Amino acid sequence: MKSPVVERSKRSGSGGDTADVRIAATVALALLSAIARASDPTGVADWPSWRGDGSGASHSGAEMVDSLDQAKLAWQSDPVGLSGCMYPGGFPGEGWCDPIIADGRVFVYWFRRAGPDTVDMHHLAASAGWLSLIEPPEEPEAFSGKFGGHRTSLPSKEMCAIQRFVRADDIVTCLDDRTGKKLWERVFHARGMNQVRVYGPLCEPCVRDGVLYALGSSGRVYALDAATGRTIWESDIGELHEELEILMEIAARTRRRGYDSGWLNTGLVAADGVVATGSGSDLVGLDAATGRRLWRVPNCLAGTASMPGVWRHNGKEYFLAAGHRMVLIEPKTGRELWTIGGRDDPITDGCTPAISGDFAVVAKNVAKTAGVNPSPWWRGPSCYRLSLEKAERVWSRPMVDGISLIAPSIHGKYAYVCADRGVVCVELETGKETDGVLPRWNTAYDGYAAGDGLLFKLGRAGKGYPEMKELPGKLPGKPDFGEIHAPATANGRVYWRGTRSVWCYDFRKNPPAPSAASLPAARDLGAVREDPQQLAAVIEKEGWPTR
């Protein structure tokens, strides 16, 4: 169909109007392209890493539903396993890595136990809710903590079998965003670690420029073509990866597990040709084209549920890491442009900052900066104004008995943060609280995300500013939601991680018909250069590069 703008320009007359016709045609094509992108979710990468663009919010301009039962179940993926680790109170197959959405595809990382190496289960701490078991009992009674710990309905024998495997398969699954059908799956056999407990975003991947970067459970990093799953390079995060490999070797040799907790409660982000991820409390930068390790910045992450964010300023990108101290890092060099805070005045003890414009909001221990009595139970969000020279604290709010592991969200001029009453909305520039609260939304084990005026939590949704009111009703279907994760939201849709599947719900009042357009093809990898130091050779076919 011809654009009416172009038709009017053609009818306007003479050859002198050629430039006008070209301009009109360009404008019309741009408008048509914008309309196509708005109606076709395959056109834009809307949630390419944990917390989306870093703000924890998405914007599509869609008009959203008023109750949960008005939402439409777009799809439930086929069973994909999602995880082989175990947390007390959870079930085998439950995953904690949140979905990410890019170029019409949904990606999830997971791992499953892999033999043959196993360990005995005599050492697990009863004080943490575990039973000390050398041989699992035959009766499938509930595995429960005698000392006030967690409780699960999983039979003891099956639970012990899960935990006795040392290694795990690292797995990345790619789903079609339109249907939820599996497009490809990569299995890296026995290259991971069968972790036991997880407290945050586990090995969260990211997508940048058609490449999926995935962090494995033992600290390996995989770069895959996002369209096909083809390997580009494999690398690792260095010292922590080597330590975990040694621990697994010892466990396999002695049949005594020397670890029982999650190690890599972090994920990957990309900026200016560099991929960064946490390694304990350190931040490690790798060359996005080759996987070569470039730098390490020490003591800038909290180590639990913590990963860096990306600050975009004047057309450039910088990593912003927040732990006991907050650091602005130049991606190419790892150079610290400034740092604030420290162990005596920690910035945060366990969350990823939400970044929007020149503002960053973190959950913070405010014992000193807010002038309250020092106590580890005082937690509260703080907002900082960022520049290339410094970070200036704009406001800080106390919070009693709140949970600091939940990352805030920034949506427009407002920030959504945890308080002792639930999640509240505050003005980003002043910290002034608006009316309303979403009660009981500040629990430790699941986060929230904002999208087009709504806030989403595990199986729940609520209106944001100015109403701050939970949506009534019940979601259609029978979703088997996981335990420790936050939803992803893009183009008016919400993606929840279940114990066996990924669930996609459309919250738009008038969703467009599904697109029949083909997904973007695999990117041309010819421009990816080889590493001159040959620490990670680039390959164009299956197989592993030599190190």
Side-chain angles (χ1 to χ4, degrees), residues 268-283:
L268 295 156
V269 292
D272 196 19
V274 176
V275 179
T277 186
S279 177
S281 62
D282 297 348
L283 185 66

Side-chain angles (χ1 to χ4, degrees), residues 397-429:
R397 297 174 53 84
M399 178 174 66
V400 181
D401 293 336
I403 301 299
S404 63
L405 299 183
I406 300 178
S409 292
I410 300 175
H411 196 273
K413 298 180 180 180
Y414 300 94
Y416 298 96
V417 297
C418 283
D420 56 343
R421 296 174 293 136
V423 169
V424 298
C425 176
V426 299
E427 295 178 355
L428 183 59
E429 295 196 21

Side-chain angles (χ1 to χ4, degrees), residues 80-344:
V80 291
L82 294 187
S83 185
C85 60
M86 191 67 207
Y87 184 86
F91 298 89
E94 186 166 356
W96 292 283
C97 170
D98 301 331
I100 62 171
I101 300 94
D103 296 327
R105 297 172 175 86
V106 179
F107 303 92
V108 287
Y109 163 81
W110 53 290
F111 63 86
R112 64 187 173 207
R113 60 192 185 274
D117 297 329
T118 59
V119 296
D120 294 323
M121 300 303 296
H122 69 284
H123 74 287
L124 294 176
S127 60
W130 299 88
L131 289 179
S132 296
L133 297 174
I134 297 177
E135 293 296 332
E138 296 297 329
E139 295 78 11
E141 74 272 12
F143 185 95
S144 61
K146 291 183 177 180
F147 304 94
H150 298 274
R151 185 180 299 273
T152 178
S153 58
L154 184 68
S156 303
K157 187 173 183 179
E158 183 178 355
M159 187 169 186
C160 287
I162 289 172
Q163 294 169 347
R164 286 170 66 173
F165 284 87
V166 175
R167 289 195 171 269
D169 296 338
D170 282 330
I171 305 173
V172 179
T173 301
C174 173
L175 308 172
D176 190 326
D177 188 24
R178 299 167 297 186
T179 64
K181 298 299 182 183
K182 187 185 298 184
L183 296 176
W184 55 259
E185 187 169 88
R186 285 302 315 274
V187 179
F188 304 97
H189 180 63
R191 302 182 75 82
M193 172 183 180
N194 188 30
Q195 305 182 68
V196 177
R197 286 187 281 176
V198 185
Y199 299 100
L202 172 66
C203 303
E204 192 73 23
C206 73
V207 171
R208 183 68 179 260
D209 298 328
V211 180
L212 173 77
Y213 301 96
L215 176 65
S217 55
S218 69
R220 299 181 188 274
V221 182
Y222 312 102
L224 310 176
D225 185 288
T228 65
R230 182 173 50 185
T231 301
I232 301 173
W233 51 256
E234 177 195 354
S235 185
D236 61 66
I237 61 175
E239 295 177 4
L240 180 56
H241 164 70
E242 295 167 2
E243 178 183 342
L244 296 179
E245 288 290 323
I246 292 173
L247 286 175
M248 287 189 287
E249 290 178 6
I250 293 174
R253 187 169 60 250
T254 64
R255 293 181 59 81
R256 298 291 186 270
R257 168 168 270 166
Y259 57 89
D260 73 330
S261 216
W263 294 84
L264 294 171
N265 300 318
T266 184
L268 295 156
V269 292
D272 196 19
V274 176
V275 179
T277 186
S279 177
S281 62
D282 297 348
L283 185 66
V284 176
L286 297 88
D287 189 315
T290 66
R292 179 169 62 93
R293 292 192 298 274
L294 300 174
W295 45 260
R296 175 183 294 267
V297 176
N299 301 320
C300 62
L301 293 174
T304 301
S306 178
M307 56 187 289
V310 177
W311 178 50
R312 299 167 181 89
H313 179 72
N314 288 341
K316 294 185 178 181
E317 296 178 320
Y318 305 88
F319 290 124
L320 183 71
H324 286 146
R325 63 189 184 115
M326 181 186 287
V327 186
L328 187 67
I329 300 165
E330 190 175 63
K332 290 291 188 184
T333 64
R335 181 167 65 96
E336 298 183 20
L337 300 181
W338 50 253
T339 180
I340 62 172
R343 292 192 177 276
D344 293 333

Side-chain angles (χ1 to χ4, degrees), residues 8-19:
R8 283 196 300 272
S9 299
K10 286 182 177 180
R11 288 195 300 266
S12 64
S14 64
D17 293 333
T18 303

